Amino acid sequence: MEKTAVEIILDENNEENITLSFGDNDEEIEFEQVAVIELDDEVFAVLHPLDAIDGVEEEEVLVFKINKENKAIELVEDPDIIDEVIDACLDDEEE
């Protein structure tokens, strides 16, 4: 049985890229996993798109919120949450 994107992201031993339906047209986009961050009892994935996405710079990362219960993943658009997740990600890299 094939793993869902959420199962792949939450697998600590994962070395695979993740393919997600993304954007208005649900285009299949491949992402590299950068980090998984837990904040305030919520789980976020920091993903780097390997395919071009309109409006996203080549080196930019995107933040997704993970819902473990229904195995859903959704793009975070709130700049305050994005900043908090990115700051936590950078803090983890420094340790």
Side-chain angles (χ1 to χ4, degrees):
M1 182 165 66
E2 194 171 318
K3 288 182 176 181
T4 66
V6 171
E7 290 170 329
I8 293 169
I9 290 168
L10 296 177
D11 179 354
E12 292 180 12
N13 299 313
N14 175 51
E15 294 183 11
E16 297 176 50
N17 291 331
I18 299 110
T19 301
L20 300 174
S21 295
F22 187 82
D24 295 333
N25 300 327
D26 281 337
E27 183 179 351
E28 294 285 305
I29 302 290
E30 188 173 6
F31 291 88
E32 174 185 29
Q33 183 171 325
V34 176
V36 174
I37 303 292
E38 288 192 44
L39 286 175
D40 302 324
D41 297 326
E42 295 184 312
V43 179
F44 297 91
V46 179
L47 305 178
H48 174 250
L50 298 176
D51 299 319
I53 299 175
D54 287 341
V56 177
E57 298 293 323
E58 188 175 322
E59 295 301 317
E60 195 171 344
V61 295
L62 299 175
V63 175
F64 292 85
K65 182 178 176 183
I66 305 291
N67 183 319
K68 291 181 186 180
E69 291 177 18
N70 66 8
K71 294 187 168 83
I73 182 168
E74 65 182 68
L75 180 66
V76 175
E77 298 186 51
D78 181 324
D80 293 332
I81 294 173
I82 293 169
D83 288 346
E84 195 174 342
V85 171
I86 297 298
D87 287 347
C89 183
L90 294 173
D91 289 346
D92 279 356
E93 284 182 6
E94 291 176 3
E95 291 177 2

